[in-house]
Amino acid sequence: MLKDTPKHQGLRNQLVSLLEQKGITDKNVLEAIRKIPRHLFLNSSFEDFAYQDKAFPIGAGQTISQPYTVAFQSELLQVKKHDKILEIGTGSGYQTAVLCAMGAKVYSIERQNELYRTTSLLLPKLGILPKHLTFGDGYKGLPNFAPFDGIIVTAGAPFIPQPLMAQLKIGGRLIIPVGENVQIMTMLIRKNETQFEKHEFGDFRFVPLLEDKN
């Protein structure tokens, strides 16, 4: 049963306070995290831990990112209502749900068929409706729906895929963890057709961004 109780809400309020202590200031991000029932995106055996600031396994060798990472990446995106956001790595759908709660039109790709099937059934049950959910290779992006106001990659990439840069609007932001074992959170802002401004935000750990579909 998909239950969200006052107890869960209380735990979410505590989580939001923790994220504020850790430096998250975007009210839009914090409200989305306050609203989305993270415990429903986890295996029920983890339910009691769902509102700790930790990553958990979700199947197919993947994880649900820790709430701080979700909040940090979402804040860097600077989502405005109705922004078209491309998400690489749907995973459990939790980040997707947070972006939808922030008012984004979310286009999301997942390469693990098992996760894609589970998540595409779960989100509608929770009343969360991304614009487009697809099973495919994140390295290629979604050229048919480009350009995007923002692109968020939720797995560590050894390099920044060219197709993703090409699918970003001028003025748009690409948020991607880059590196092999430890990743550096990287933001590219597209200045014009050929130029990107690069910012780096320290070390994070992600599961690897894999090519092709599984």
Side-chain angles (χ1 to χ4, degrees):
M1 274 300 291
L2 300 175
K3 282 217 299 281
D4 188 29
T5 65
K7 179 190 162 196
H8 292 124
Q9 184 60 65
L11 292 168
R12 283 203 289 286
N13 292 341
Q14 286 172 19
L15 174 60
V16 165
S17 300
L18 176 67
L19 295 177
E20 287 181 309
Q21 284 163 29
K22 288 188 168 188
I24 302 295
T25 57
D26 186 325
K27 291 285 177 263
N28 203 7
V29 173
L30 294 167
E31 281 317 304
I33 285 177
R34 198 187 299 281
K35 184 175 164 188
I36 300 297
R38 187 175 187 246
H39 64 282
L40 300 180
F41 293 84
L42 292 167
N43 181 309
S44 57
S45 58
F46 293 120
E47 186 182 338
D48 291 347
F49 308 103
Y51 296 105
Q52 292 180 8
D53 194 18
K54 290 198 174 107
F56 289 104
I58 52 170
Q62 304 301 300
T63 56
I64 180 172
S65 293
Q66 74 180 90
Y68 174 72
T69 304
V70 170
F72 189 83
Q73 284 194 287
S74 303
E75 184 165 81
L76 288 179
L77 264 184
Q78 291 194 358
V79 176
K80 295 184 290 301
K81 234 182 183 34
H82 309 308
D83 272 0
K84 262 175 81 176
I85 304 291
L86 172 61
E87 177 190 33
I88 308 297
T90 319
S92 67
Y94 178 68
Q95 174 76 73
T96 320
V98 167
L99 292 169
C100 287
M102 289 171 71
K105 295 177 176 165
V106 184
Y107 297 73
S108 191
I109 306 178
E110 175 53 57
R111 68 174 291 283
Q112 302 281 355
N113 206 359
E114 172 196 338
L115 290 179
Y116 167 69
R117 288 203 309 265
T118 311
T119 301
S120 51
L121 291 173
L122 174 66
L123 289 171
K125 281 185 192 159
L126 300 175
I128 295 157
L129 303 170
K131 287 296 276 187
H132 187 78
L133 212 52
T134 189
F135 169 56
D137 180 353
Y139 274 83
K140 297 190 173 86
L142 285 176
N144 298 354
F145 295 99
F148 295 96
D149 296 298
I151 300 176
I152 180 171
V153 180
T154 62
F159 57 88
I160 301 175
Q162 255 345 98
L164 299 186
M165 292 168 70
Q167 290 170 37
L168 198 59
K169 254 185 204 167
I170 292 173
R173 296 173 164 227
L174 167 60
I175 314 296
I176 180 169
V178 182
E180 296 286 353
N181 297 325
V182 175
Q183 291 82 32
I184 293 173
M185 189 67 75
T186 305
M187 174 169 75
L188 293 185
I189 301 176
R190 186 166 201 170
K191 289 300 179 188
N192 54 40
E193 284 304 319
T194 54
Q195 288 176 305
F196 291 80
E197 185 181 291
K198 184 177 175 187
H199 301 262
E200 293 184 339
F201 298 91
D203 294 355
F204 285 78
R205 280 183 187 275
F206 282 80
V207 291
L209 177 65
L210 303 170
E211 277 193 83
D212 301 322
K213 301 187 245 188
N214 184 20

